[in-house]
Amino acid sequence: MSGQPGKVRVAVVFGGRSEEHAISCVSGGAVMAALDPERYEVVPVGIARDGRWVLPDPGQRLTITDGALPEVTGGTPVALVGDPEARGLAVLDAGSAVGAALTEIDVVFPVLHGTYGEDGTVQGLLEMTGLPYVGSGVFASAASMDKEFTKKLLAAAGLPQGDHEVLRDADGAVCADPGFLDEAARERLGLPVFVKPARAGSSIGITRVTDWSQFPAAVAEAAAVDPKVIVEAAVPGREIECGVLAARGSGLPEASLPAEIRLRPGVDWYDFAAKYLDDAADFDIPADLTPEQTAAVQKAARRAYLAMDCQGLARVDFFLTEGPDGEDELVINEVNTMPGFTPISMFARMWAASGVEFAEIVDRLVTGALAGAARPAR
Ligand SMILES: Nc1ncnc2c1ncn2[C@@H]1O[C@H](COP(=O)(O)OP(=O)(O)O)[C@@H](O)[C@H]1O
Ligand SMILES: [Mg+2]
């Protein structure tokens, strides 16, 4: 394939092997539509649920149509070329392992969420092939995906987060032993607790435990997703999110106006159904906060981005709660290095409310990745 002269060739990678395959397709379609055709040549790259990389067939649907979720199924098989000099994708001949044609790529935009997308794995692959890419590098992606190490790094930077315990047992026996969280820890954490797989997303494998009799089953459910399980004290408070973008050029990252997720009465927490299926939440964009509260959220979001060593973008999720004397207290829940990325996603809407339109975000991220290409591996 020959490139269009003068244009930057961007491979937009979407789909992937995680539970968030469909939302990644929607995000990928949105990114491609937002790239200015005068300046960019888009190479769509789909990853099927089973991990095959393809140049999708023309007409690949990337929107949710009549409730049907998009999915990468077929296309021309491609593979990344290991040789960094080649900078690209090889189109694979059917029945042959030999690359039939090379597609040179200037920069990759991996719009992938969750496992094998947001966790440092695809970032490692791209590092090895010498291709610059949008977003956080290997370390920040892996650390932000892991709720234990997110908490450790935030704590080291003096950033607040909730009380918790980590249960680990490589062979999964952790849930068979009713004594795995001792009495003192149970008393300290109190009820309810949130039991979570350490590395997951979309609330998958999480249980809100209101009675210790439910605890072993909750741990088993989380351990089925990840052998490392986090038990968190419940933080009563408002759920606040904030978008962070790297500065254009050099300089400190910028934070968007925050948003609030307000769960409807009777909805205890933002579980999978509440996120994607039910009409369970209202969104205030921007959140109804005082100027001081807004500034505090933005400062903490930027500090969290830096503490986790993020690049390009992140969405930092908080609880805003009350301290012992009724004062505001911010608790960081998690850092997402590739948040939902459609124009109707929280990340884009928070930036739109802050005066930065979707196409500008996309352009800024691609430009930033190209500018960072000269830097050593991350
Ligand atoms: N410690 C906590 N206290 C109160 N609510 C929580 C706590 N942890 C999680 N939740 C609720 O569960 C939801 C999902 O948890 P989260 O850790 O964000 O998982 P995921 O990474 O899957 O999004 C949150 O949005 C919130 O509603
Ligand atoms: Mg979350």
Side-chain angles (χ1 to χ4, degrees):
M1 260 187 234
S2 61
Q4 296 174 15
K7 292 190 186 175
V8 174
R9 195 178 243 185
V10 188
V12 178
V13 185
F14 54 85
R17 295 168 68 182
S18 81
E19 300 287 340
E20 287 138 304
H21 179 99
I23 185 71
S24 166
C25 291
V26 179
S27 299
V31 167
M32 291 191 282
L35 282 164
D36 177 3
E38 295 289 312
R39 296 170 47 215
Y40 297 110
E41 182 190 347
V42 174
V43 178
V45 180
I47 302 180
R49 285 187 188 277
D50 61 7
R52 284 173 301 119
W53 289 49
V54 296
L55 300 175
D57 293 327
Q60 163 79 53
R61 180 170 57 83
L62 293 174
T63 50
I64 301 173
T65 310
D66 297 332
L69 297 173
E71 180 174 352
V72 176
T73 48
T76 308
V78 285
L80 282 172
V81 182
D83 177 1
E85 293 296 315
R87 297 175 65 83
L89 292 164
V91 177
L92 299 176
D93 255 343
S96 151
V98 179
L102 278 181
T103 299
E104 273 186 34
I105 302 292
D106 293 308
V107 57
V108 178
F109 197 143
V111 204
L112 299 163
H113 309 300
T115 319
Y116 300 119
E118 204 177 341
D119 61 354
T121 52
V122 81
Q123 289 76 12
L125 200 57
L126 294 169
E127 292 287 350
M128 293 184 73
T129 57
L131 288 166
Y133 55 93
V134 167
S136 285
V138 174
F139 176 78
S141 301
S144 301
M145 185 77 193
D146 186 313
K147 294 186 195 300
E148 177 191 12
F149 286 96
T150 300
K151 289 178 195 300
K152 286 200 158 109
L153 291 169
L154 295 179
L159 288 161
Q161 80 258 206
D163 196 4
H164 63 279
E165 288 281 332
V166 179
L167 307 179
R168 65 181 89 238
D169 187 331
D171 64 11
V174 72
C175 46
D177 175 3
F180 49 75
L181 191 66
D182 65 29
E183 218 30 69
R186 290 182 192 213
E187 222 155 86
R188 198 189 79 235
L189 294 173
L191 284 170
V193 286
F194 282 81
V195 179
K196 309 180 177 180
R199 292 153 291 202
S202 291
S203 299
I204 290 157
I206 300 182
T207 308
R208 178 174 178 268
V209 167
T210 53
D211 186 300
W212 289 113
S213 65
Q214 305 159 349
F215 187 59
V219 175
E221 197 176 323
V225 179
D226 188 332
K228 184 165 71 175
V229 172
I230 309 281
V231 185
E232 290 182 11
V235 182
R238 299 165 68 184
E239 285 202 60
I240 305 287
E241 304 191 341
C242 186
V244 182
L245 276 176
R248 265 199 187 281
S250 59
L252 287 171
E254 292 168 25
S256 71
L257 287 172
E260 176 168 9
I261 296 162
R262 278 187 298 111
L263 300 175
R264 302 235 166 112
V267 181
D268 288 324
W269 63 287
Y270 205 28
D271 63 3
F272 184 86
K275 279 180 179 171
Y276 299 116
L277 308 175
D278 303 339
D279 226 359
D282 293 301
F283 306 103
D284 291 341
I285 308 166
D288 183 12
L289 298 172
T290 64
E292 294 75 24
Q293 288 171 325
T294 295
V297 169
Q298 290 177 321
K299 184 175 173 194
R302 295 164 64 196
R303 287 183 62 203
Y305 172 100
L306 293 171
M308 299 305 293
D309 218 3
C310 292
Q311 289 187 47
L313 74 164
R315 196 191 73 216
V316 183
D317 296 351
F318 297 87
F319 300 113
L320 176 60
T321 181
E322 271 187 15
D325 301 318
E327 74 282 15
D328 280 345
E329 212 171 85
L330 269 180
V331 171
I332 298 179
N333 178 34
E334 60 169 339
V335 177
N336 298 282
T337 51
M338 189 53 74
F341 204 87
T342 72
I344 59 159
S345 298
M346 291 296 264
F347 184 80
R349 290 168 68 190
M350 288 190 286
W351 278 109
S354 315
V356 184
E357 293 306 325
F358 190 70
E360 191 184 335
I361 299 176
V362 171
D363 180 56
R364 199 161 145 167
L365 290 171
V366 172
T367 309
L370 280 167
R375 286 199 294 265
R378 52 204 165 115

